[in-house]
Amino acid sequence: MEATKAESLETGPQSTVGNKDLIPLLDLKAQFTSIRDDVLKSVTRVIESQQFILGPEVSAFESEMAQTLGAKFAISCASGSDALLLTLMAYGIGSGDEVITTPFTFVATAGSIARLGARPVFVDINPATYNIDPFGIEEAITPRTRAIVPVHLFGQPADMAPILDIAARRGVLVIEDAAQAIGARYHGAPVGTIAQVGCFSFFPSKNLGGAGDGGMLVTNIPEIAGRLLLLRSHGSRSKYHHEVLGMNSRLDALQAAILGVKLAHLPAWSQARQRNADRYRFFFAERGLADSVGLPAVEAGCEHVYNQFVIRVRDRDRLKSALQQRGIATEVYYPSPLHLQPAFSYLGHHAGDFPVAEAASAEVLALPIYPELVETQQRRVVEEVAAFLRGNGRPVRSEHA
Ligand SMILES: *Cc1c(COP(=O)(O)O)cnc(C)c1O
């Protein structure tokens, strides 16, 4: 399915560069325009060096990430999906094991668990935050449970304190899927540094996106860092000596160089996303729609970095096509929860098993929130949503929002 990916492939043609009337979901060309010289310089530097695998560019970016996040170890890899896979491998999770996670996420979260022969055990979400509901976790734990993988969905931190508490009491580990939430904080702590290991993605549509695929593993545990280093590079520390069965999952030097340029801008980009979120809230409130559009909730003590700004309406599909007709791109993350995906049918789930996630899948709609979005564009988005709701002539507020 890979909805995120398909969408990002469309951002080129939909870019506002060249057509001011279209509002894309994401405008990577606008971002590139603002950092063009530095990016091209860094690319040239790598090409001139002809050192493409690991080396100084990758080490430098890893150090910057570790420093930025305040973590002891930051280990890059080929994608966010691989970061999850490598973490589970580092802990020896596989056949016969169970790993608890959310059904309302990108496929890779549960896919990495299943790929290793372990069983993804889904726990329903909190309807306000779309993140895994800690209250459902305890009863999902069995003697086979090895780990809990909360996702900081859309850029909002999952409710980590109760999750860590349950995990500590029941002797299971916690792995953060922070792919959508780089820079977000939970009671002051950067997400990805709160549990045993944090997994990040540099897929182009993430808040820190490369020129292709990339990922990062973050941990404070030296033994796990050592295992991750081995596993990402064929299980070897020195050439042609293989201590364990690993993978080829490294971050390209080209990606590291480009991401290094972008990392310096990340705080400003996150602030711009937060400013845009505040503007949406203001404009919707101004039109008396704050109650009829399910605006994203931000939990106390959480800093949301808005990889997506997701509203919630009952007539979602009709609103989406109405906006599309008016030149406004939106996307549905995610149109089907994972327990109802064909790839996970072997788990034996049915519609109704995770009703909160299923209702969210039917009602959520992500509006453009990218940093370069301007006030007039946001006004237009809100006006078009308002026009649709007026035309509908009935309240669309969801029972779950
Ligand atoms: C993007 C994403 C991933 C996977 O990252 P890739 O770099 O695309 O492999 C995993 N989990 C979540 C929640 C994501 O959004």
Side-chain angles (χ1 to χ4, degrees), residues 197-216:
V197 182
C199 300
F200 293 93
S201 164
F202 305 123
F203 183 81
S205 66
K206 304 294 158 92
N207 285 15
L208 179 63
D213 283 307
M216 185 73 77

Side-chain angles (χ1 to χ4, degrees), residues 277-343:
D278 289 345
R279 269 191 204 143
Y280 272 138
R281 290 180 197 284
F282 181 81
F283 292 155
F284 279 119
E286 202 178 39
R287 294 180 164 274
L289 293 174
D291 285 334
S292 52
V293 173
L295 294 172
V298 182
E299 294 291 276
C302 289
E303 189 186 339
H304 195 321
V305 292
Y306 297 100
N307 180 239
Q308 303 297 343
F309 185 91
V310 172
I311 63 166
R312 185 159 182 163
V313 289
R314 226 186 264 163
D315 247 333
R316 190 267 317 279
D317 292 339
R318 283 185 53 231
L319 173 60
K320 184 177 193 316
S321 45
L323 292 174
Q324 187 68 51
Q325 273 165 22
R326 308 292 294 168
I328 297 167
T330 60
E331 193 47 272
V332 175
Y333 302 114
Y334 294 91
S336 168
L338 295 185
H339 67 285
L340 301 180
Q341 290 282 351

